[in-house]
Amino acid sequence: MSGCSDPSLVQQLRFDNRYRFAVSLNAFAIACLLHVSGFLPVLRPIIWVIGLYSLTYLLAGVWAAPHRPGIRGLRYGLAMMDFAAITAAVSLTGGPQSPFFYLYPIPFLIHALHFDLRMIAWDGAWSLLCYGGFLAVVHSQIAKNTLILGLGQLAFLAVIIGAAMLTARQFRGRSDATQRSLRVQKTMVSFLAAINALPPALSDDDLQRDLLNQLRAALEPFRVHVRLWIANPAWKTLRGLGEHPALRPGSPHHLPMTACPAFSQRKPFRYSQAAGQPCSS
């Protein structure tokens, strides 16, 4: 169905919401502790912030489903709301001296677990924008040493964002390499299973045609074009099966074995268009 969202996006949103719920509970506990200790005289405003924030992401989690469109945009919207809520909590509990400041790195560190560089960049931009905008608004109302503390915290956020981006990029590369290796192994196993399932009574022509079809089916996801060369030791020739887009029209289907390095050198080879010559592999 067109317009449906990727199910993995729904899973990521629900994963994010579990962390949001945990952060909400911890923020509530911190607010209660500050209130009991006398550092937060009025508890109601921060309770309103935590309550509205929690209600928003809980409703979003209930609404989100694989058949719903716009899940990606919803994730970006909830991420923006994370920093709006954190900034509101910071402004209500002492500004740069608020313990809620240290909630800023949590959203993009969580998204670093998904190796989602766009979300990390989005989170980093909004964290800097929200906290930098807050400092710009209150800079004339706070002491100089408190403002210096806030600017240092802003620099701290920038360092954390850069570290999250570099870490996610590095591990994303490793994850992609692992996924490619698993795909190759899965393709090899599937191809061998299909070959073992071929009837033993097939003629040579039918067997060669089925081998070619199985190779095409296995390598098509990798965008590999297949041409199978069948050796005839009696005539010392190779017969080509299948067409290849790199071959000129009318290219010969029979070649002497010596024309193929795999037969003449008795070892595998790879061909590089840049080098122009077959080279050992």
Side-chain angles (χ1 to χ4, degrees):
M1 183 183 299
S2 61
C4 290
S5 297
D6 186 350
S8 64
L9 292 177
V10 179
Q11 294 175 1
Q12 290 174 4
L13 186 144
R14 291 173 178 168
F15 176 86
D16 295 345
N17 282 352
R18 285 195 291 270
Y19 275 93
R20 289 187 176 104
F21 181 69
V23 170
S24 297
L25 289 179
N26 282 278
F28 178 74
I30 293 172
C32 291
L33 180 62
L34 292 175
H35 180 66
V36 171
S37 304
F39 293 101
L40 185 61
V42 182
L43 188 61
R44 183 175 296 178
I46 192 70
I47 296 300
W48 272 104
V49 170
I50 296 174
L52 291 175
Y53 169 68
S54 301
L55 181 63
T56 304
Y57 70 74
L58 288 174
L59 290 177
V62 172
W63 179 84
H67 66 278
R68 300 272 192 183
I71 299 297
R72 187 182 300 277
L74 181 60
R75 287 189 72 216
Y76 281 92
L78 288 174
M80 182 174 61
M81 186 193 68
D82 291 340
F83 298 105
I86 294 171
T87 304
V90 168
S91 66
L92 292 171
T93 55
Q97 297 176 338
S98 170
F100 290 102
F101 165 80
Y102 298 98
L103 297 179
Y104 274 109
I106 292 178
F108 49 81
L109 290 178
I110 291 173
H111 291 143
L113 298 175
H114 300 307
F115 313 132
D116 194 335
L117 298 178
R118 290 183 179 179
M119 282 297 297
I120 297 171
W122 175 263
D123 291 344
W126 275 105
S127 66
L128 294 175
L129 181 63
C130 287
Y131 194 61
F134 168 73
L135 291 178
V137 170
V138 302
H139 76 280
S140 60
Q141 306 170 16
I142 58 178
K144 183 177 180 181
N145 59 341
T146 304
L147 179 61
I148 293 174
L149 173 63
L151 294 176
Q153 291 171 335
L154 200 63
F156 168 76
L157 279 179
V159 171
I160 293 294
I161 294 165
M165 290 285 289
L166 291 175
T167 302
R169 183 178 288 112
Q170 181 179 3
F171 281 96
R172 185 178 183 178
R174 293 182 182 179
S175 177
D176 291 344
T178 301
Q179 291 297 325
R180 285 194 298 269
S181 178
L182 290 175
R183 286 182 60 195
V184 170
Q185 293 181 10
K186 183 179 179 180
T187 299
M188 186 180 301
V189 171
S190 300
F191 173 72
L192 293 177
I195 295 301
N196 288 331
L198 292 176
L202 289 176
S203 65
D204 289 347
D205 289 340
D206 290 339
L207 177 62
Q208 293 164 10
R209 184 175 61 254
D210 286 347
L211 284 174
L212 178 62
N213 292 334
Q214 293 296 339
L215 278 173
R216 283 175 173 169
L219 297 179
E220 184 177 5
F222 298 94
R223 298 181 180 179
V224 175
H225 299 279
V226 177
R227 198 180 202 208
L228 185 64
W229 291 94
I230 306 299
N232 186 338
W235 291 89
K236 296 183 178 180
T237 58
L238 301 172
R239 180 167 63 93
L241 298 178
E243 297 297 333
H244 194 283
L247 293 174
R248 298 189 303 272
S251 296
H253 290 275
H254 292 80
L255 294 173
M257 284 187 178
T258 54
C260 179
F263 284 90
S264 61
Q265 300 179 14
R266 300 294 181 182
K267 60 182 180 181
F269 76 96
R270 61 183 173 87
Y271 178 75
S272 169
Q273 291 184 339
Q277 293 293 333
C279 48
S280 59
S281 167

